[in-house]
Amino acid sequence: MSLVKQFLILSALMVYVTISMGAHPYSAPGVTSLTNPSVKYKLTDQHAVVLKRGKVTTIIVDNAAIDTAQLPGHRAGYNGVASLKYEGQTENLFVPAVAGLNFEHIHDGTPALKEKFEPRKHPMQLRIISDDTVELYQSPTPNWKLESCGRYQLLDDGTIEYTFECIPRAALFKKGYIGLFWASYMQAPEDRRIYFYGKAKSALNQGESLIAARTPAHGVDSTHPPDNATFFPDVSAEFPLTLVNHPSRYVYSQPWFYGIRQKYSYTQMFRKRDQIWFAQSPTGGGKQNPAWDFQWFIPDYKVGEAYGFVMRAHYAPWTDHDTLQHTIQKHLSALTQK
């Protein structure tokens, strides 16, 4: 049996066990300082922390403006991974003024958004856990009252493991679910497509294939749900965040996708049980700068309970698809056990 098939069977089994035990399928793993009181951290008066491991260097930032030699002209609001470079690189993978794995939207699918970009606007606290791990904590936001913490850990091969946990502090989501969105603004890749295994919705009984997806315009055919989706959000027709509510004609069958910039690949990997939706825009970061994004929906939430997911972002020299697929298998396998 192939590693991919073993991975899919194990993911399905873990979902079944979780549900049969009565827990919410998206219960928080309990690893960040939001949910685990044993986590020790120290605060910093800086708005950026440099992490270096293996051949990768990254800079994690809160949502304050920064203007340093390492991050000249970094704009306020753009949190997460402000810079990602492989050994020998001088150019940032992401648009320098913005970021990747940037916590972007909180919503409930209704058009009455008081603030489209609340995670950008409400202050974040940078918490240093260790030499290779930092967290971005955000107290309950003014509009949605969502408290959250995102942990960025640089693994030994330079892959970023991102764990997000959140707690709704008020029942403000009118359609009964919490919608969350993350953006990665890529710096002018020659190829603006993303690649993933999937199938057309019109041919669900057929086998999967490698799909090269490029949306024709911002907010058109912009998001790709998983083929095992058990929840489809009710989104109002007048909802203003067009990357959220315009599904493409595809579903994905394996929980990872990648894009290529110059001679490097950027791969985002997820746990199948988290049912993350891929998203993309050909111009989300500017005319030549696509956004390679993802979103997450938490149905049947309860006030005061903690929810979370885990994903990994792998950045390395690009050779070919088969080599990349072989390399990331260890990360996909590790994610099923978290």
Side-chain angles (χ1 to χ4, degrees):
M1 184 182 296
S2 71
L3 287 175
V4 172
K5 288 184 178 179
Q6 292 180 50
F7 164 73
L8 295 177
I9 292 172
L10 182 57
S11 295
L13 178 61
M14 293 184 73
V15 171
Y16 172 78
V17 170
T18 300
I19 293 174
S20 66
M21 292 175 64
H24 194 287
Y26 304 147
S27 294
V31 300
T32 77
S33 56
L34 173 64
T35 60
N36 187 344
S38 68
V39 174
K40 306 299 182 184
Y41 61 86
K42 61 181 180 179
L43 303 179
T44 173
D45 60 357
Q46 303 299 305
H47 297 291
V49 174
V50 177
L51 303 178
K52 186 179 188 310
R53 204 166 181 192
K55 296 183 178 182
V56 172
T57 301
T58 186
I59 304 177
I60 310 300
V61 298
D62 59 21
N63 53 11
I66 302 172
D67 191 11
T68 64
Q70 291 176 312
L71 294 173
H74 180 80
R75 292 163 55 186
Y78 293 94
N79 58 86
V81 185
S83 177
L84 186 60
K85 297 179 181 178
Y86 199 81
E87 185 178 67
Q89 277 194 305
T90 57
E91 281 195 344
N92 189 351
L93 172 67
F94 304 119
V95 178
V98 289
L101 295 182
N102 167 63
F103 185 26
E104 187 101 325
H105 302 303
I106 306 170
H107 70 87
D108 65 354
T110 67
L113 284 176
K114 294 180 181 179
E115 171 56 61
K116 293 180 181 179
F117 301 98
E118 191 166 35
R120 291 188 190 178
K121 303 298 178 70
H122 189 55
M124 289 180 165
Q125 185 181 80
L126 198 53
R127 297 177 172 181
I128 300 174
I129 307 299
S130 66
D131 289 342
D132 55 35
T133 305
V134 298
E135 292 181 350
L136 288 179
Y137 168 78
Q138 191 166 56
S139 64
T141 57
N143 298 318
W144 293 111
K145 308 302 180 186
L146 186 74
E147 185 178 11
S148 67
C149 190
R151 168 176 286 206
Y152 299 80
Q153 180 181 6
L154 200 58
L155 304 180
D156 56 3
D157 68 346
T159 295
I160 299 169
E161 180 170 288
Y162 176 63
T163 303
F164 178 81
E165 298 183 329
C166 65
I167 303 174
R169 296 301 184 183
L172 299 175
F173 298 86
K174 295 181 178 63
K175 290 182 178 290
Y177 69 86
I178 300 171
L180 305 173
F181 194 97
W182 283 259
S184 289
Y185 298 106
M186 316 309 297
Q187 184 179 181
E190 298 85 349
D191 182 354
R192 285 189 261 178
R193 297 172 293 180
I194 63 170
Y195 297 82
F196 58 87
Y197 280 103
K199 59 189 72 174
K201 293 177 182 176
S202 60
L204 293 179
N205 58 340
Q206 297 183 12
E208 67 178 17
S209 62
L210 183 63
I211 294 169
R214 177 176 177 177
T215 61
H218 184 86
V220 178
D221 298 333
S222 57
T223 188
H224 316 290
D227 65 354
N228 69 326
T230 57
F231 174 76
F232 291 87
D234 175 14
V235 181
S236 300
E238 301 81 15
F239 185 69
L241 303 175
T242 56
L243 296 190
V244 171
N245 63 334
H246 287 79
S248 75
R249 63 182 184 275
Y250 300 118
V251 295
Y252 73 78
S253 53
Q254 296 185 28
W256 60 283
F257 73 94
Y258 69 93
I260 303 165
R261 181 182 184 271
Q262 296 180 347
K263 297 181 180 179
Y264 299 85
S265 59
Y266 177 60
T267 307
Q268 298 179 66
M269 298 168 279
F270 307 91
R271 303 188 303 185
K272 197 173 183 70
R273 68 181 183 270
D274 291 327
Q275 298 204 344
I276 299 292
W277 292 42
F278 304 163
Q280 65 180 133
S281 164
T283 55
K287 187 176 181 180
Q288 301 298 322
N289 303 322
W292 297 341
D293 308 337
F294 64 88
Q295 59 179 322
W296 188 45
F297 303 102
I298 308 170
D300 304 319
Y301 77 94
K302 293 182 180 179
V303 173
E305 292 195 0
Y307 305 97
F309 69 85
V310 187
M311 63 85 65
R312 291 186 179 184
H314 177 268
Y315 185 52
W318 166 256
T319 53
D320 57 75
H321 172 82
D322 290 342
T323 299
L324 173 64
Q325 186 171 19
H326 176 76
T327 300
I328 66 168
Q329 288 307 314
K330 64 178 182 180
H331 293 294
L332 289 169
S333 297
L335 283 171
T336 66
Q337 301 172 39
K338 290 188 173 292

